[in-house]
Amino acid sequence: MSESNPESSGIPPVERVRQEVDRWLEVVRNTGERTLESLGITGGNRTSNLPVDMIELPNEIVVQVDLPGVSAETVDVSLAGNMLTITATRQRQEFMGDARVHVRERFAGQYQRAIPLPAAVNDEGVKAETRDGLLTITLKKAVPGPGRSIPVSRGNGGTV
């Protein structure tokens, strides 16, 4: 803002701040991630969340994750207790020669998401496959074992 006397413009200070923020947001919309990185709002090594759908069926849980442009070789799916963790990496496309990139908005880097499952699952009953940018993970629910009686002991080591 290059006015010599901002008070004489007749625009309230709050409105001037709003206009400046709007101007910066427009710059960000027009130049994408490069501007965000230059402003220090994001970094090249940030971790981005993955959008997830989770469907519980009578015998299994199905988790679907959008992973456009991600190679299956860079996807890691792990299960610890009832926590499913998905990590994936999308490489930034580099251009050779004198190419000029005008807009670069697509995220490149590591994605990660930890998802608590709504039911106990069988560790061996997990399948993961990717097709057309969609990762589908199918987890078989754990079958509850038969109930059993637990003996209760006294403080001196004897049973009741």
Side-chain angles (χ1 to χ4, degrees):
M1 294 190 218
S2 59
E3 283 185 73
S4 59
N5 185 359
E7 300 300 324
S8 67
S9 69
I11 300 174
V14 172
E15 181 62 19
R16 285 194 311 272
V17 170
R18 188 190 65 74
Q19 288 174 352
E20 187 67 14
V21 169
D22 286 346
R23 187 179 71 79
W24 274 103
L25 288 174
E26 186 62 28
V27 168
V28 169
R29 275 191 289 273
N30 290 332
T31 59
E33 187 176 76
R34 185 180 57 221
T35 298
L36 292 174
E37 289 176 6
S38 70
L39 293 173
I41 295 173
T42 63
N45 295 327
R46 73 178 178 164
T47 300
S48 178
N49 278 333
L50 298 167
V52 171
D53 289 341
M54 183 185 315
I55 301 95
E56 183 175 3
L57 301 168
N59 296 319
E60 61 189 16
I61 297 170
V62 178
V63 177
Q64 294 183 317
V65 184
D66 286 337
L67 290 176
V70 174
S71 169
E73 293 79 26
T74 70
V75 178
D76 178 60
V77 177
S78 62
L79 181 64
N82 77 329
M83 187 65 69
L84 178 70
T85 303
I86 303 160
T87 306
T89 303
R90 181 165 57 200
Q91 302 299 321
R92 179 175 303 282
Q93 184 178 3
E94 298 300 331
F95 300 97
M96 298 178 63
D98 58 352
R100 289 181 19 197
V101 177
H102 291 276
V103 178
R104 182 166 269 192
E105 297 177 342
R106 295 173 35 241
F107 176 77
Q110 187 177 62
Y111 294 91
Q112 184 172 9
R113 183 79 184 261
I115 307 160
L117 299 172
V121 295
N122 182 350
D123 289 350
E124 285 79 43
V126 180
K127 291 189 314 186
E129 72 175 11
T130 182
R131 178 181 295 160
D132 299 329
L134 179 68
L135 172 66
T136 301
I137 304 165
T138 306
L139 306 109
K140 299 289 181 194
K141 285 185 177 180
V143 178
R148 67 181 181 100
S149 179
I150 313 270
V152 177
S153 63
R154 289 189 182 171
N156 65 4
T159 58
V160 178

